[in-house]
Each structure stands twice: as C-alpha cells, then as structure tokens.
Amino acid sequence: MARDRKRLAAWLAAGLLLAVVLTLYQAQRTGRGEPSAGPCPQSALDCPGPGASAAAPPAPSADPGATGTASPSPATSSGSPSPGSPTGPGAPSPAGPCSSPGACGFPDERSTGPRTGLERHDTGNMSVKTDGTVIRGWDIKGSLDVYANDVTVIDSRITSANWWGINLRPGYGGLKVLHTTITAVPGKGPDNGGVNYAVSNMGTSSIEVGWCDISVFGNALSMGQGDLHDNYVHDIVAFRNQGGEWQHTDAVISGGGNKGRLSVRHNTLLNPVRVDQGATAAIGLFADTGTVSSVTVDRNWLAGGAYALYAGGPGATHIQVTDNVFSTEYHAAAGAYGHATAWNAGGAGNVWRGNRTTGGVPVEPPISP
C-alpha cells in the first residue's frame, strides 16, 4: 500500500509538472498567457492603449476557415469611458503651449493600436456576414467588408490593398473598431495604386472607432455618423485617382446629410499631404450629400490640409468646435490657407469655444462667407 501511494504521488507530481510545461509552451508559442488581474483586463473594450497595463488575450474568437467568414463570439459592451479619464473621450487637453501630440496628452503611436500579440491571418478581402462576430488578436492581410450587426474588431492589425480597410454596408450597425492598426502598402491599392478609406460607414447608424493607429489611406475615417475618439491618424499618402487627378485627402471626412450625430473627440489628425497633391483638411465637414448638422469636434490635435477644418458651410447647424489645438507642424496657420473655413456663425446651436494654436494663442472662428 505504501508503495502504491508513493507511485500515485509520483504520477500526480509528474502530471502537474507536465501541465505547467504545456501551459508555458503554449503561452510562448502564441504570445499569449492567461488574463491577469491588472487594471486593464483584455476583455474590457474601453481600456487605454499599449502604453497602459493590459492583460493578454485569449485565442482569436474568429477564424475565416475555408468560407472566408468569421465565427460569432460574445463581445463585452464598451460603454463610454468615464469623464475625466486620462485616455478616454473625457480627457482634458492642456491649456498652454504644446510641443507634440504625445507630450500634451493627445494620441500617438504609444497609446493606440493593438495591446497584445497577434496571429497572422491571410484572409484577403473578407466578408463578415454573421451578427455578433468578434475578431480579436488577428494580423490581417486583407480587408473586411461587414454585412452584419454588432461586429467588433479589437486588438488587431489590418493591412489592406482594397478600397478600404473596414467597410460597413448599408442596413447594418453596431460596428466597433478598437485598439487596432489599420494601414496599407503605398502604391498597391486599386485606385491607381491608392487606397481610399481606412474605416468607411456606408450606412445610417453610428459606429465606434477608438484607440486606433491609422495611416496611408487618402480619406482615413469616412462617415456621416459615428463616435471617433482617441485615434492617431498620420502619414496619409497622396495618389492620383483612376481619372489621373490628385485624390483629395482628409484624416476625417463627412459628406453631410447625416441622420445621426458625428462625434470627433480627442484624436490626433494629421494630413501631411501637399495642397498641390490633393490635401483638403484634417477634418472635412462637407455638404456634398446634404446639409451638415449635429457634429461635435472636441479636444483634437489638428494639422494639415488646405484648411485644418472645413466646418460645414452654409446652413450647417449644431456644430460644436471646442478646445481643439491647431498645430503648426506643416503650416504656420495649421492649414496652408488658414486654421478653418466654412463656419456658419449664425447657425442654430453652433458653438466655437476654447480653440487655440500649439503656442496657446486663441484661434478665432473664421468669418462666414
């Protein structure tokens, strides 16, 4: 009996040791361990970016497989970061001079993009057609075309050679793109080598894009309604479109006629493209498809374009432009021709308040045409 007990104890010890070894091997192989009990569990969608403490993720919850579609997985609701959070949409901006976005609390490469290791997925141009799909921890070579509701892309990287990185089709809603890098290879896109939209909302429902690192695309964030916060848009690349003309470029672009609210809060929006190569704005609110209304532009770092901000034009209402920093890194007046234009001073609900240059000098609203 004593010998049997010793033998059983030895087998239990060996089994425990084997389990520990396998767990460590799996964590090393995939770049992922078990979630820690830190202040930012990976399951929380509204945690700050890579500069903050973040726990590691579980395995990706979606796999395109042979059909090129991802499988559904429950997602945690992001909610809204609490007002005054140092990294959330309520984050205050410094009132004095600012030397650079990151130094003054605005998003940069350290506070955006994936918080975790990634697994490569050569999906190509993939369609997502299952409601509730969660794509997590993927390094995607391709693009996502979303024909589903409540899709979440989180802690991932997308390198696209399509017209877009992520596109939400009409009739669908609830898309969240969080803690993700969205980029492309210059000269490899379908528009005469160019790529057009990092995230495009073709529908009439709001989407959320937060803590994302976005580059290369000509019109990076394109939508009439949405919640855009804590993103870093940079290194937009100029290109001639299929008609041989320079493509207009904007970090954020809205065509007007939106059915819901567009909120642009606490982003770094850089448009380094030269005006003679198509640069339009850091934020372009244009009345291309209808009157512009219900837009909040709050606490952003804006630089580049012909004007850093196109503010809606005649008839625009309920446009709030507050506490933004207009940077001189490309032009003395933020944009080549000025800080802002197309401001409808007499529009109902329009507010211009607390806007300033990187040197802390107040920026007055432009005179209405």
Side-chain angles (χ1 to χ4, degrees):
M1 292 294 293
R3 180 179 301 174
D4 290 340
R5 283 196 298 271
K6 289 181 180 179
R7 183 177 300 166
L8 178 61
W11 278 108
L12 290 174
L16 179 61
L17 178 61
L18 179 60
V20 171
V21 170
L22 289 175
T23 299
L24 292 175
Y25 170 75
Q26 181 68 10
Q28 183 180 26
R29 184 179 68 84
T30 63
R32 298 177 174 85
E34 289 300 313
S36 66
C40 183
Q42 191 274 341
S43 59
L45 303 187
D46 58 353
C47 286
S53 174
S61 58
D63 189 345
T67 63
T69 59
S71 59
S73 174
T76 303
S77 174
S78 68
S80 298
S82 59
S85 168
T87 58
S93 298
C98 283
S99 59
S100 68
C104 293
F106 291 90
D108 63 9
E109 68 279 359
R110 296 170 298 178
S111 58
T112 57
R115 301 166 294 177
T116 62
L118 305 176
E119 288 188 356
R120 181 165 174 169
H121 289 262
D122 295 326
T123 66
N125 300 328
M126 174 176 134
S127 294
V128 179
K129 297 183 177 181
T130 303
D131 290 352
T133 295
V134 176
I135 294 176
R136 187 192 305 271
W138 286 22
D139 185 358
I140 295 173
K141 306 300 180 185
S143 64
L144 300 177
D145 203 3
V146 179
Y147 296 83
N149 295 306
D150 302 320
V151 171
T152 297
V153 181
I154 183 169
D155 288 316
S156 295
R157 177 183 174 91
I158 294 173
T159 304
S160 173
N162 198 2
W163 296 91
W164 53 75
I166 303 175
N167 181 45
L168 180 66
R169 290 287 177 168
Y172 301 96
L175 174 66
K176 298 180 186 295
V177 184
L178 308 172
H179 301 290
T180 292
T181 294
I182 309 172
T183 190
V185 180
K188 298 297 184 180
D191 199 358
N192 199 26
V195 285
N196 293 68
Y197 312 110
V199 182
S200 171
N201 182 2
M202 297 178 67
T204 57
S205 64
S206 183
I207 69 176
E208 180 183 2
V209 183
W211 302 285
C212 290
D213 184 325
I214 298 169
S215 61
V216 180
F217 293 87
N219 287 298
L221 298 171
S222 175
M223 61 197 68
Q225 47 278 317
D227 180 11
L228 312 178
H229 64 85
D230 298 286
N231 300 293
Y232 175 44
V233 180
H234 60 101
D235 294 307
I236 291 173
V237 174
F239 63 93
R240 294 183 185 272
N241 59 27
Q242 292 182 341
E245 301 173 335
W246 287 108
Q247 171 71 31
H248 289 286
T249 62
D250 304 87
V252 173
I253 185 170
S254 179
N258 47 305
K259 304 301 183 183
R261 172 170 290 278
L262 175 62
S263 176
V264 186
R265 296 181 185 271
H266 201 244
N267 304 277
T268 297
L269 304 173
L270 309 180
N271 187 348
V273 175
R274 290 168 25 192
V275 173
D276 63 356
Q277 293 184 342
T280 307
I283 298 179
L285 307 177
F286 304 113
D288 295 336
T289 59
T291 303
V292 180
S293 64
S294 301
V295 180
T296 296
V297 179
D298 179 57
R299 287 169 291 110
N300 301 283
W301 178 286
L302 307 177
Y307 292 90
L309 171 65
Y310 279 78
T317 59
H318 300 285
I319 312 298
Q320 299 183 28
V321 182
T322 54
D323 297 322
N324 298 283
V325 174
F326 288 82
S327 171
T328 59
E329 58 202 277
Y330 305 128
H331 307 288
Y337 305 133
H339 299 94
T341 189
W343 173 249
N344 182 20
N350 289 352
V351 176
W352 183 286
R353 182 185 65 243
N355 302 294
R356 61 196 182 280
T357 69
T358 45
V361 177
V363 173
E364 300 299 326
I367 298 174
S368 299

